[in-house]
């Protein structure tokens, strides 16, 4: 009892410490193991309910191979589904078929749950009965607990548990279980991917490349609707923001349809940039706009900022240097019936700011009165380079400044590996603009791109002394 209480306190202390310091879970697990003695079952439960992110692969350590595919699949590079078959002895209840559904509903916490597996099977020796397959982890040693026995008593079902020969096949294993069984022991298994229409996009590590075609086939098999799996083979090109990719499984059709925030887009995934992880950020920026506002989208891609803004009855100027992005942007404006409110350009971002943006601001800002509430927003979503473009705003306009409320708001995206990413991106922007933004900007953390690499959005109104060049008297 003393050891149990001590370990519980130790777990609590180290759990919160690791949450604050981002220490990996295995370090805490090893620390607990040093003090746990002979009660490993306690820590299986704790591990499942705290930090482990794949609960479907956490099994009873007394029988770790229970749900693993046949060990002969280790090292397989060409998928052979037949090799995954194995037979297990699992607990089962014999129940009259008239009440089987009622029993199944009452014992749902103890019934075996596996992909594609029937929980109720026929009894070959008794047409009037069925076998309800139970989870060996919930029914250890083929013995029901007191609560389950009470449930069966209500239905007049004998509580005796019988042994059933269950055959598991490839269809009954999860993708993580299959990949963990195939890849060399101890190596990281990555089953996560980005879904772009019918395409699953992977970023495989070097040690996974020999198994890439098998991984692609497993991902396609286990995710309905995925008919093409690709792996990125180089970093994003800084000019057109696309990357080379290899088709690992399925068809080679990379023209697809996606839906984001209730708006449909069509694109060629091999030629344009699209990241489904930015859906929330697209919605956040568009939510700042009101009908009648003006949006300048400097690096517009296929339109995830521009088209929703036009749907809100904003006037939009959208630009992208990539000719394929420009073509798909035009197509998607037509597809969503907003082409009359979006002016599309195929220019370098700097030329777009010094040309159409300067021209429109020079024309519209002097017309703004105190009562006119039209706002101007400039979105610069090219995180690798956008901060370097901010020098364009220095003396972009000539004349007397407009009212402070009419100054354009810039939403500039950037990456940072700094320990204080918000301060880092602000200081870099200030250095390019040649002025301080203290008290005049806000920073929003968009997402974690990689370990110690953040994507941020810096929003600020361009200071009048930066934007305007006073004419000589």
């Amino acid at each position: 009892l003393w050891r149990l209480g001590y370990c519980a306190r130790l777990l609590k202390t180290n759990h919160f410490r690791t949450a604050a310091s981002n220490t990996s879970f295995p370090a805490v697990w090893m620390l607990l193991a040093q003090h746990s003695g002979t009660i490993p079952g306690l820590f299986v439960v704790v591990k499942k309910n705290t930090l482990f992110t794949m609960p479907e692969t956490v099994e009873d350590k007394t029988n770790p191979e229970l749900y693993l595919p046949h060990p002969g699949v280790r090292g397989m590079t060409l998928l052979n589904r037949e090799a995954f078959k194995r037979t297990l002895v699992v607990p089962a209840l014999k129940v009259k078929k008239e009440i089987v559904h009622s029993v199944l509903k009452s014992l749902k916490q103890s019934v075996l749950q596996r992909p594609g597996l029937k929980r109720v099977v026929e009894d070959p020796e008794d047409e009037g009965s069925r076998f309800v397959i139970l989870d060996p982890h919930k029914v250890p040693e083929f013995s029901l607990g007191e609560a389950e026995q009470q449930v069966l008593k209500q239905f007049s079902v004998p509580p005796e548990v019988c042994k059933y020969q269950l055959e598991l096949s490839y269809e009954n294993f999860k993708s993580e279980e299959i990949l963990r069984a195939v890849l060399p022991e101890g190596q990281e298994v990555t089953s996560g991917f980005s879904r772009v229409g019918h395409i699953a996009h992977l970023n495989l590590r070097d040690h996974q490349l020999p198994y890439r075609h098998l991984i692609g086939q497993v991902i396609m098999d286990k995710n309905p609707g995925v008919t093409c799996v690709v792996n990125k083979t180089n970093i994003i090109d800084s000019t057109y923001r696309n990357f080379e990719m290899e088709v690992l499984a399925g068809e080679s059709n990379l023209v697809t349809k996606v839906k984001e925030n209730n708006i449909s887009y069509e694109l060629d995934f091999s030629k344009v940039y699209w990241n489904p992880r930015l859906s929330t950020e697209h919605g956040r920026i568009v939510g700042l706009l009101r009908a009648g506002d003006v949006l300048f989208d400097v690096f517009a891609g296929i339109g995830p900022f521009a088209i929703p803004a036009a749907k809100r009855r904003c006037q939009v100027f959208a630009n992208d240097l990539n000719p394929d992005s420009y073509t798909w942007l035009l197509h998607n404006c037509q597809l969503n019936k907003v082409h009359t409110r979006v002016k599309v350009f195929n220019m370098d971002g700097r030329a777009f700011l010094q040309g159409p943006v300067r021209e429109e601001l020079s024309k519209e800002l002097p017309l703004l009165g105190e009562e006119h509430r039209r706002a101007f927003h400039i979105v610069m979503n090219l995180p690798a380079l956008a901060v370097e473009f901010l020098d364009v705003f220095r003396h972009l306009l000539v004349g007397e400044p407009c009212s402070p409320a009419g100054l354009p708001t810039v939403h500039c995206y950037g990456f940072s590996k700094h320990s204080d990413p918000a301060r880092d991106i602000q200081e870099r922007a200030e250095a390019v603009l040649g002025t301080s933004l203290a008290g005049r900007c806000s920073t929003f953390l968009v997402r974690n791109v990689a370990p110690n690499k953040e994507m941020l959005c810096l929003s600020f109104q361009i200071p009048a002394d930066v934007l305007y060049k006073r004419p000589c008297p």
Side-chain angles (χ1 to χ4, degrees), residues 36-74:
S36 63
T38 57
I39 47 173
L42 165 69
F43 299 109
V44 173
V45 176
V46 171
K47 183 178 179 183
K48 184 173 181 179
N49 290 328
T50 53
L51 298 179
F52 205 69
T53 59
M54 290 168 52
E56 64 272 20
T57 62
V58 180
E59 307 294 357
D60 186 347
K61 298 303 179 184
T62 59
N63 192 358
E65 298 184 358
L66 186 60
Y67 291 145
L68 289 181
H70 193 282
V73 303
R74 180 76 67 191

Side-chain angles (χ1 to χ4, degrees), residues 311-434:
K311 287 278 190 180
R312 294 177 75 98
R313 309 193 69 80
C314 296
Q315 184 180 358
V316 179
F317 295 76
N319 171 72
D320 203 280
L321 178 62
N322 182 352
D324 291 296
S325 295
Y326 169 77
T327 300
W328 285 106
L329 177 57
L330 286 171
H331 173 80
N332 287 312
C333 287
Q334 291 279 351
L335 179 67
N336 289 280
K337 298 180 174 58
V338 295
H339 52 282
T340 58
R341 289 195 289 273
V342 182
K343 294 183 179 180
V344 181
F345 302 85
N346 181 208
M347 306 171 66
D348 174 76
R350 188 174 295 273
F352 175 66
L353 289 166
Q354 293 174 334
V357 175
R358 170 191 278 168
E359 180 182 341
E360 188 68 17
L361 291 177
S362 299
K363 181 177 67 175
E364 293 293 333
L365 290 183
L367 303 178
L368 293 180
E370 291 296 332
E371 72 286 348
H372 197 78
R373 294 177 174 268
R374 192 179 201 188
F376 296 83
H377 292 262
I378 303 173
V379 174
M380 304 174 68
N381 185 19
L382 183 63
L385 298 172
V387 173
E388 299 175 15
F389 283 76
L390 294 178
D391 66 302
V392 173
F393 296 118
R394 293 164 64 177
H395 296 169
L396 182 66
L397 305 181
V398 177
E400 291 296 323
C402 67
S403 65
L407 292 169
T409 298
V410 173
H411 307 281
C412 180
Y413 291 83
F415 295 129
S416 177
K417 295 183 178 180
H418 197 274
S419 58
D420 187 347
R423 187 184 70 182
D424 173 51
I425 192 171
Q426 179 180 329
E427 290 178 348
R428 285 159 48 201
E430 291 173 338
V432 177
L433 289 169

Side-chain angles (χ1 to χ4, degrees), residues 261-273:
N261 299 328
N262 296 317
I263 295 177
S264 297
Y265 302 88
E266 296 179 354
L267 63 138
D268 185 336
F269 190 54
S270 65
K271 295 181 178 179
V272 304
Y273 178 80

Side-chain angles (χ1 to χ4, degrees), residues 23-269:
T23 304
S24 64
F25 185 85
V28 181
W29 183 253
M30 291 301 296
L31 180 62
L32 286 169
Q34 296 171 9
H35 300 278
S36 63
T38 57
I39 47 173
L42 165 69
F43 299 109
V44 173
V45 176
V46 171
K47 183 178 179 183
K48 184 173 181 179
N49 290 328
T50 53
L51 298 179
F52 205 69
T53 59
M54 290 168 52
E56 64 272 20
T57 62
V58 180
E59 307 294 357
D60 186 347
K61 298 303 179 184
T62 59
N63 192 358
E65 298 184 358
L66 186 60
Y67 291 145
L68 289 181
H70 193 282
V73 303
R74 180 76 67 191
M76 178 188 293
T77 56
L78 184 64
L79 182 61
N80 177 9
R81 296 176 181 84
E82 291 296 316
F84 287 83
K85 287 184 177 179
R86 64 174 303 183
T87 301
L88 304 176
V89 177
V90 297
L93 275 176
K94 187 172 181 178
V95 180
K96 293 294 183 183
K97 67 177 184 180
E98 292 82 8
I99 59 171
V100 67
H101 292 295
S102 300
V103 173
L104 193 67
K105 185 176 180 180
S106 300
L107 292 179
K108 60 181 179 180
Q109 298 299 326
S110 302
V111 174
L112 182 60
Q113 304 280 354
R114 300 295 300 170
L117 187 69
K118 291 183 178 180
R119 297 173 294 173
V120 179
V121 295
E122 294 183 357
D123 182 352
E125 299 178 357
D126 185 356
E127 293 184 0
S129 298
R130 298 290 185 269
F131 284 118
V132 176
I133 309 301
L134 303 177
D135 189 336
H137 297 113
K138 306 293 179 59
V139 187
E141 300 179 357
F142 294 83
S143 178
L144 290 169
E146 185 65 30
E148 290 84 358
Q149 292 187 36
Q150 290 297 325
V151 170
L152 295 180
K153 189 175 181 180
Q154 298 175 11
F155 296 102
S156 300
V157 176
E160 288 77 20
V161 176
C162 58
K163 295 183 178 181
Y164 183 83
Q165 296 276 343
L166 177 67
E167 184 179 90
L168 293 180
S169 65
Y170 173 82
E171 287 72 24
N172 306 134
F173 295 108
K174 303 170 187 177
S175 57
E176 293 86 356
E177 295 168 337
I178 293 172
L179 299 182
R180 196 174 299 282
V182 169
L183 268 66
E185 289 188 77
Q187 292 195 359
E188 179 186 2
V189 175
T190 301
S191 59
F193 58 89
S194 296
R195 178 81 179 262
V196 182
H198 67 276
I199 302 168
H201 170 219
L202 305 174
N203 290 324
L204 296 181
R205 305 288 180 87
D206 289 342
H207 71 272
Q208 298 165 334
L209 292 179
Y211 308 91
R212 62 189 184 278
H213 294 292
L214 180 144
I215 294 173
Q217 189 63 55
V218 170
I219 294 297
M220 192 167 70
D221 288 345
K222 298 298 180 179
N223 294 274
V226 172
T227 58
C228 175
V229 182
V230 300
N231 179 47
K232 184 172 73 172
T233 57
N234 72 336
I235 61 173
I236 294 177
D237 181 84
S238 61
T239 303
Y240 288 164
R241 302 183 75 193
N242 53 15
F243 44 79
E244 295 180 5
M245 60 185 71
E246 177 186 11
V247 177
L248 304 182
E251 60 186 3
S252 297
N253 176 23
L254 297 179
V255 175
T256 188
K257 298 178 181 180
V258 296
K259 195 166 187 177
E260 179 183 275
N261 299 328
N262 296 317
I263 295 177
S264 297
Y265 302 88
E266 296 179 354
L267 63 138
D268 185 336
F269 190 54

